[in-house]
Amino acid sequence: AQARIEYLRLLAAHTYLAFELATGARPIAERALATRVGKGVQSPQHALLLIRDKDSQAYREARLLPVANALGKALDQLNAAVNDCTATLKTAGWRITDARGPGREDLPAWIELERGQQAVMQVFTNADFAQVLADYNIDDPRPSPNATRHTVCTALDRVLNEASVHAVMGHTG
């Protein structure tokens, strides 16, 4: 079970990075929400992602972004791996609690094993990403957790007008 969980953790780290780069999201933390809206529901051409990523009690914002094909595939692959791992663990007698909470099912997730054949399915956060890097003795190249977001913003500055960049990045209010 441990090898399967480690594979899932590494896949979650990969998907977390894809999520950050494809959306320009703030580092995923406790209050982050993401919900996929299927193609044809709001847009005839794209699946969309409703993101709430500001980790603040005082201020909340949301934005709707098209889901890049690569991100959609990465999230689907991770969800399939989580579901497969869940089924395998349950068959082996493990009790799994889904601690993601409502509106968080479309964020990268993983399963953490606990004592007594207990496991928790949870959102893969920025802290989890940093821990994976540390566990594999990889120096985190980001000068801050927001560095990925700032890189996306800088890239968008080159191709979008200022108002569009602010809308994509959630700089409203």
Side-chain angles (χ1 to χ4, degrees):
Q2 193 61 42
R4 183 178 287 257
I5 291 297
E6 188 58 18
Y7 164 75
L8 189 59
R9 189 170 78 117
L10 293 173
L11 183 60
H14 176 265
T15 306
Y16 176 88
L17 188 56
F19 186 92
E20 294 283 303
L21 290 170
T23 65
R26 292 172 179 89
I28 296 174
E30 184 179 327
R31 292 179 188 86
L33 302 173
T35 304
R36 280 197 269 183
V37 180
K39 181 178 176 181
V41 175
Q42 292 286 326
S43 167
Q45 300 162 329
H46 303 285
L48 301 172
L49 188 65
L50 176 64
I51 298 177
R52 281 196 164 142
D53 59 355
K54 192 154 185 84
D55 197 37
S56 167
Q57 291 180 345
Y59 181 75
R60 296 186 59 100
E61 53 75 35
R63 59 196 181 281
L64 198 57
L65 300 173
V67 177
N69 288 337
L71 176 59
K73 288 178 183 177
L75 287 168
D76 289 343
Q77 181 183 12
L78 178 60
N79 288 339
V82 167
N83 291 338
D84 180 56
C85 189
T86 298
T88 300
L89 289 171
K90 283 183 176 181
T91 299
W94 287 77
R95 182 174 170 264
I96 300 174
T97 303
D98 187 342
R100 293 176 294 176
R104 295 174 59 89
E105 296 89 351
D106 289 316
L107 290 167
W110 68 299
I111 297 172
E112 186 172 21
L113 300 179
E114 296 182 342
R115 294 179 187 202
Q117 288 198 306
Q118 304 285 325
V120 178
M121 184 187 310
Q122 57 196 3
V123 170
F124 193 88
T125 66
N126 182 66
D128 297 320
F129 183 73
Q131 188 60 55
V132 167
L133 294 176
D135 288 349
Y136 283 88
N137 296 315
I138 300 170
D139 290 331
D140 191 342
R142 304 171 301 166
S144 77
N146 276 312
T148 307
R149 176 176 167 77
H150 295 164
T151 300
V152 172
C153 189
T154 299
L156 291 176
D157 272 338
R158 295 181 185 138
V159 295
L160 298 175
N161 65 42
E162 184 177 357
S164 295
V165 171
H166 286 301
V168 168
M169 301 307 290
H171 294 158
T172 58

